[in-house]
């Protein structure tokens, strides 16, 4: 607010100087100028609101630019980490990256859209799955579920395990193991893979990547090209996907 007032004061000073050229020279000190501006603002308070709104618009634009720049800078890690599981060809026209937590209700809400997009667009899209168990401190099962999905990937059953976990209403250590058996995993290999530290490192690296994206403040978080969607806004996702496919 102080900055806005000083800007107004400076502007008022210029106006006064300009007017003075057409008439007798008037010398006003700082206190007098501030009083003139104060009176004017009290009579026209909407000017302050307009200035604040303009500043907010400018700050939002700068934030969006920063968000998109961070996505562009992380493009390779987002789309080409060989450890990530993806569905669809690598040369697909559009790549969708999703960060998610298996205990996130909004992630579960967005899952039908992901499945439908894969089924409807086939080889035109590629979906990259990013395990981001940010709710694990509260749930205690988000990280085990992420590790289970990555372990299932080593048996070629990531998709079945992923969607089974997403469709589960309540995850426990026992239910995660039950799902692994239901999708047909070799449980001895499954247990061995769960103990592999490289799976844990993969998850840690994904968390580090997420911290590089200022816009990523929760799950689900989708990236399509240079655009992003935070939350289960499937209408926005559909629009971005259609634009990318037709672009």
């Amino acid at each position: 607010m102080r900055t806005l007032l000083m800007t107004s004061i400076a502007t008022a000073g210029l106006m006064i100087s300009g007017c003075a050229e057409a008439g007798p020279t008037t010398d006003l000190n700082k206190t007098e100028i501030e009083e003139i501006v104060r009176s004017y603002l009290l009579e026209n308070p909407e000017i302050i609101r307009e200035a604040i709104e303009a500043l907010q618009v400018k700050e939002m634009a700068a934030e969006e630019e920063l968000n998109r720049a961070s996505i562009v800078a992380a493009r390779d890690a987002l789309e080409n980490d060989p450890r990530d599981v993806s569905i669809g060809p690598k040369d697909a026209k559009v790549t969708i990256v999703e960060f998610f937590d298996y205990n996130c209700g909004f992630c579960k809400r967005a899952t039908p859209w992901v499945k439908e997009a894969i089924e409807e667009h086939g080889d035109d899209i590629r979906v990259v799955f990013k395990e981001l168990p940010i709710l694990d401190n509260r749930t205690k099962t988000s990280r085990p579920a992420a590790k289970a999905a990555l372990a299932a990937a080593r048996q070629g059953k990531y998709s079945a395990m992923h969607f089974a976990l997403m469709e589960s209403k309540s995850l426990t250590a026992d239910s995660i193991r039950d799902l692994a058996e239901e999708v047909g995993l070799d449980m001895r290999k499954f247990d061995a893979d769960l103990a592999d530290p490289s799976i844990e490192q993969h998850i840690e690296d994904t968390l580090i990547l997420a911290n590089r994206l200022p816009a990523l403040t929760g799950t689900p978080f989708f990236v399509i090209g240079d655009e992003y969607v935070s939350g289960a806004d499937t209408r926005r996702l559909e629009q971005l996907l259609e634009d990318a496919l037709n672009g």
Side-chain angles (χ1 to χ4, degrees), residues 130-148:
K130 295 281 191 181
E131 311 283 338
L132 193 69
I134 57 175
L135 300 177
D136 193 63
N137 286 340
R138 176 167 60 83
T139 67
K140 307 304 180 186
T141 58
S142 290
R143 187 177 288 260
K147 291 175 66 176

Side-chain angles (χ1 to χ4, degrees), residues 87-101:
I87 296 177
K90 289 192 174 182
D91 62 350
K93 187 172 184 179
V94 178
T95 295
I96 303 169
V97 179
E98 181 189 5
F99 291 83
F100 56 86
D101 183 304

Side-chain angles (χ1 to χ4, degrees), residues 117-206:
I118 292 170
E119 293 168 1
E120 180 178 349
H121 298 289
D123 290 345
D124 285 336
I125 70 170
R126 172 175 172 250
V127 179
V128 179
F129 297 91
K130 295 281 191 181
E131 311 283 338
L132 193 69
I134 57 175
L135 300 177
D136 193 63
N137 286 340
R138 176 167 60 83
T139 67
K140 307 304 180 186
T141 58
S142 290
R143 187 177 288 260
K147 291 175 66 176
L150 293 174
R154 296 186 177 188
Q155 297 187 41
K157 293 184 178 293
Y158 179 87
S159 180
M161 190 65 177
H162 170 80
F163 290 115
L165 288 166
M166 275 299 180
E167 291 164 5
S168 176
K169 293 182 179 180
S170 178
L171 292 175
T172 65
D174 288 340
S175 70
I176 292 171
R177 192 167 185 81
D178 289 343
L179 289 174
E181 292 178 341
E182 288 175 15
V183 301
L185 296 182
D186 177 331
M187 298 307 291
R188 181 174 296 179
K189 177 171 173 48
F190 177 71
D191 289 335
D193 288 332
L194 284 179
D196 187 339
S198 66
I199 283 185
E200 190 75 37
Q201 187 59 55
H202 184 184
I203 293 171
E204 285 300 315
D205 290 343
T206 302

